[in-house]
Amino acid sequence: MEFDRVVRTTASVREFEDRVVSDADLYELLELARFAPSGGNRQGWTVLVIKDRQLRESIRDLYVEGWAEYQAHQRVGKVPFAPIENRKWTKPAVDLSIAFETRTPFYFSDNLDKVPVLLAVFVDMGALAVLDNGLDRQSIVGGASVYPFAYNILLAANAKGIGGVLTTTLCRREDQVARLVNMPGSYGLAALIALGYPKKKLTSLKRAPVEEFTFVDRFDGDPFR
């Protein structure tokens, strides 16, 4: 698939055909993804291919809990856990203790254990050059050394006709996941990636035009054209 076609059609896919993704194809995706950049070329990522059924079910249950917290924010029109107060996150915008009282069925989370491929992506925190540490706002820079790798998996998958989605909802339950998979103490959970052959293939994505998010010199400068 041509590169421009790949980037224009790599959608978030959450419903998959009942069709196996071979280990050989999955290995090829990871083989391509490993060429992603990272700070100092330290490549601090570790990927777990989640195959064990009981482990899959446990991860599904933890994901459903995190998704309930996500939905609780959405129901009141809030961006979940967004650092909107002084650019920092201080507390949930909703009462998380009642987040589970109103659960909305969601096919993806409720059937997470059945997706063809589940990849848990972890990163060695000591390998991250977090240059915005110490700023008076939420830190974001460290992700630059792991998320390009994660997105490369999705790009490589799309090029082979495989769909997927990168989700961070499971990170709400990192401590429990850590115990399940024997995660070393220096690591953190960066993402969960689900992969499979999509039930519906999107042919194009809708995104804001360049002129809406690119400006010359200043935030109030002329749109870049």
Side-chain angles (χ1 to χ4, degrees):
M1 191 184 297
E2 293 294 328
F3 178 74
D4 64 341
R5 183 68 174 161
V6 171
V7 297
R8 289 177 183 270
T9 61
T10 300
S12 294
V13 177
R14 296 181 176 87
E15 293 191 42
F16 307 100
E17 295 180 355
D18 186 15
R19 179 180 170 190
V20 173
V21 176
S22 71
D23 284 351
D25 282 343
L26 178 56
Y27 186 94
E28 184 177 342
L29 304 186
L30 296 167
E31 165 71 18
L32 293 171
R34 69 191 178 95
F35 290 98
S38 61
N41 197 28
R42 283 179 284 273
Q43 305 168 53
W45 48 74
T46 292
V47 178
L48 298 186
V49 182
I50 308 299
K51 292 192 173 188
D52 180 80
R53 175 149 299 281
Q54 185 174 353
L55 179 57
R56 278 173 158 253
E57 291 174 352
S58 296
I59 287 178
R60 174 203 62 202
D61 293 344
L62 293 172
Y63 189 98
V64 167
E65 292 181 7
W67 182 247
E69 295 179 345
Y70 190 102
Q71 288 177 313
H73 287 78
Q74 287 191 311
R75 280 195 293 272
V76 295
K78 302 290 186 181
V79 177
F81 303 98
I84 56 178
E85 185 175 338
N86 297 323
R87 303 185 301 166
K88 293 183 286 187
W89 185 84
T90 55
K91 62 181 180 180
V94 299
D95 185 350
L96 294 183
S97 65
I98 63 172
F100 307 101
E101 295 181 3
T102 308
R103 293 198 187 187
T104 303
F106 183 45
Y107 181 87
F108 176 72
S109 58
D110 295 342
N111 295 276
L112 186 63
D113 57 309
K114 300 180 181 67
V115 304
V117 175
L118 272 182
L119 304 178
V121 181
F122 298 84
V123 65
D124 183 352
M125 303 298 288
L128 302 181
V130 189
L131 298 178
D132 60 351
N133 266 342
L135 295 184
D136 191 27
R137 64 157 173 78
Q138 183 80 31
S139 175
I140 58 174
V141 168
S145 287
V146 61
Y147 291 118
F149 165 76
Y151 192 61
N152 263 8
I153 295 175
L154 295 179
L155 291 173
N158 186 29
K160 290 182 67 68
I162 298 169
V165 63
L166 183 157
T167 172
T168 55
T169 300
L170 189 63
C171 298
R172 290 291 306 159
R173 297 294 182 270
E174 180 180 276
D175 290 346
Q176 293 94 319
V177 173
R179 291 191 290 271
L180 288 172
V181 301
N182 299 325
M183 184 186 83
S186 64
Y187 277 70
L189 175 61
L192 185 71
I193 298 177
L195 296 172
Y197 290 96
K199 283 188 175 181
K200 181 180 180 181
K201 181 67 174 178
L202 295 180
T203 56
S204 63
L205 302 176
K206 293 182 179 180
R207 297 291 187 266
V210 171
E211 292 84 355
E212 287 191 13
F213 61 82
T214 311
F215 306 93
V216 178
D217 293 331
R218 297 174 177 82
F219 270 75
D220 57 353
D222 294 333
F224 179 76
R225 294 182 172 87

